[in-house]
Amino acid sequence: MRRVLTREFTGLLSDARRVTLKLAGAGLVAQLSVAATVVIADGLRKRRSAEHSAPDDDPLVATVRGNTVTTYTYGQDLYDDMIAAIDGAQDYVYLASYIWKGDDVGQAVKDAVVRAADRGVLVCLVFDGFANLVVSSEFKSFPSSVHLLKFPVLRSRLPVIDIRRTGRDHRKILVVDGAVGFVGGYNIGSLYAKSWRDTHLRIEGPGVWELQNSFVDFWNRHRGTRKPELPDSGSSHWDAAVHAARNEPSRLIYPVRALYLEAIDRALHRVWITQGYFIPDAEILQALLHAAGRGVDVKVIMPERSNHVLADIVARYYWTELLRGGVEVYLYQDVMVHAKTATVDGAWSTIGTANIDRLSLRGNYEINLELIDPDQAAHMEEIFSRDLERCRQMTMGEWSKRPFHYRVIERVLQPLEPFL
């Protein structure tokens, strides 16, 4: 009898496993079908949409503890100054870009680094292989005088997932002669020059070391044997007013997330955040809700429609909780806002490459500068206030009236969050 019961129990377990696998498979198929439908529909919408121009506001300049900090919100101004810096290089140019388009702007930057190499400047370039798969091989070829590190699409031959090998190189850094550095959200390309609203910094002074050290560490760790080892200089400056937080998957280090959590936790008056892709994890979500609950003015700007429709839908899954908790949500109109910035209480700011989402905060190589300075914070608040004029506010009343099928799509696609 015991053997019979055991066989029956084993059979029931086997049947349960088969049913579970079938349900999981059906759920995955439904999820992928919904995702594909949404992406196709969004692609058709983009074809019909007219292209708008980003606001061409002038850069803002602040002095932060012996550093001159310039904040850009218009891409063409940034690219002009990047090229001018490269053309002035005497010793070395270190440039990393997640995306480097083979268009007019991309070619202008490429020509500048080739000119630098031709006159004897050490030029080291990094771009992400996966992000640039659609860029022509011809454009991605450089003269032998340029040292190029193409961060590979696949970095493990083993058929297992190694978290240390899954992150993309999402950084955007330029350092020239240790004297000037650039960092922020702008990739390199004509689209970003005039049609996207992003934020980037130029820093001149001792804080440049923060960017240079990030590039050098990454280069030396991933360069292989055929590329030059870059000098690791160390720094005599211990100035907390300018600090780089660097996410490094190969070392399982992700300080950018902690940067946000600590700043939000300290807030007494206001937390103003601008993000291209805003999908907060449980801790950041609760930190924002707790801040709003204690009377802090918490505002988040994100695009009405970004270039990644699935990220938009997953982000909206959290709007109900945010709006009910007193967090104000503002949707940037007409153009894509791609900035990764925040400012708190007129004292603290961060500008960098990391989005508030899983890929940036727990997956990719990222870098955000933290600046503790009232003048820089005032500039970030000025930029945020300007952006608010180009936004519409999402209210709980409007959000609660969205169509039922929107709610279904949000719930079906929310499990994709770990991949966004």
Side-chain angles (χ1 to χ4, degrees), residues 70-382:
T70 304
T71 306
Y72 300 87
T73 57
Y74 188 60
Q76 190 61 60
D77 292 337
L78 169 69
Y79 299 135
D80 290 345
D81 285 357
M82 286 174 60
I83 291 171
I86 295 168
D87 282 338
Q90 298 180 359
D91 298 317
Y92 54 87
V93 171
Y94 301 156
L95 174 59
S97 185
Y98 179 60
I99 295 173
W100 192 337
K101 296 288 190 182
D103 52 28
D104 291 344
V105 167
Q107 187 65 52
V109 176
K110 180 178 180 178
D111 291 344
V113 298
V114 171
R115 287 194 300 269
D118 287 346
R119 62 178 184 268
V121 173
L122 173 66
V123 176
C124 297
L125 309 179
V126 179
F127 65 78
D128 189 86
F130 176 78
N132 293 280
L133 283 173
V134 298
V135 178
S136 70
S137 299
E138 180 182 0
F139 180 80
K140 291 184 288 190
S141 297
F142 284 77
S144 59
S145 57
V146 174
H147 302 285
L148 179 63
L149 194 164
K150 299 177 184 178
F151 200 55
V153 177
L154 298 174
R155 281 169 287 132
S156 176
R157 297 179 182 177
L158 298 176
V160 295
I161 295 177
D162 179 356
I163 192 171
R164 295 173 184 260
R165 296 178 180 271
T166 55
R168 308 311 317 164
D169 181 20
H170 194 240
R171 304 166 310 145
K172 300 93 178 170
I173 299 172
L174 170 63
V175 175
V176 176
D177 293 347
V180 58
F182 297 79
V183 69
Y186 277 102
N187 293 292
I188 298 173
S190 298
L191 171 66
Y192 319 120
K194 297 179 180 180
S195 300
W196 280 32
R197 200 351 237 122
D198 212 328
T199 305
H200 222 84
L201 285 187
R202 179 179 69 190
I203 184 166
E204 299 168 89
V208 176
W209 180 87
E210 300 284 336
L211 304 180
Q212 178 165 313
N213 188 55
S214 177
F215 186 96
V216 168
D217 284 352
F218 181 92
W219 179 275
N220 287 342
R221 191 170 296 118
H222 299 283
R223 67 185 174 87
T225 58
R226 298 184 179 182
K227 296 178 180 64
E229 182 175 1
L230 301 181
D232 185 357
S233 64
S235 175
S236 61
H237 298 280
W238 292 80
D239 191 346
V242 179
H243 170 70
R246 304 181 296 165
N247 284 1
E248 299 187 26
S250 64
R251 301 168 67 190
L252 295 180
I253 296 174
Y254 302 99
V256 177
R257 181 171 174 272
L259 202 72
Y260 274 106
L261 286 170
E262 182 175 355
I264 296 167
D265 194 43
R266 287 176 177 270
L268 294 174
H269 306 293
R270 54 196 173 277
V271 174
W272 292 355
I273 297 171
T274 304
Q275 291 286 304
Y277 316 105
F278 182 71
I279 308 175
D281 62 26
E283 288 77 13
I284 291 180
L285 179 64
Q286 289 306 310
L288 292 172
L289 293 173
H290 289 158
R294 63 178 182 266
V296 176
D297 174 26
V298 182
K299 291 181 170 67
V300 180
I301 291 176
M302 64 189 80
E304 174 91 59
R305 293 185 179 90
S306 80
N307 61 324
H308 292 304
V309 64
L310 296 182
D312 291 347
I313 292 172
V314 174
R316 291 167 190 163
Y317 179 85
Y318 298 96
W319 286 6
T320 298
E321 193 170 358
L322 287 166
L323 293 169
R324 283 178 178 168
V327 176
E328 297 178 18
V329 174
Y330 293 86
L331 305 178
Y332 201 90
Q333 301 296 290
D334 297 330
V335 302
M336 169 66 183
V337 59
H338 189 251
K340 300 93 168 59
T341 67
T343 188
V344 174
D345 285 355
W348 176 95
S349 303
T350 185
I351 300 93
T353 70
N355 301 295
I356 295 181
D357 61 18
R358 205 286 306 175
L359 281 182
S360 279
L361 297 187
R362 296 184 178 181
N364 292 335
Y365 291 87
E366 305 280 3
I367 179 168
N368 268 48
L369 273 190
E370 176 187 42
L371 300 105
I372 303 174
D373 180 81
D375 291 340
Q376 179 61 26
H379 285 165
M380 298 308 297
E381 291 190 348
E382 178 181 341

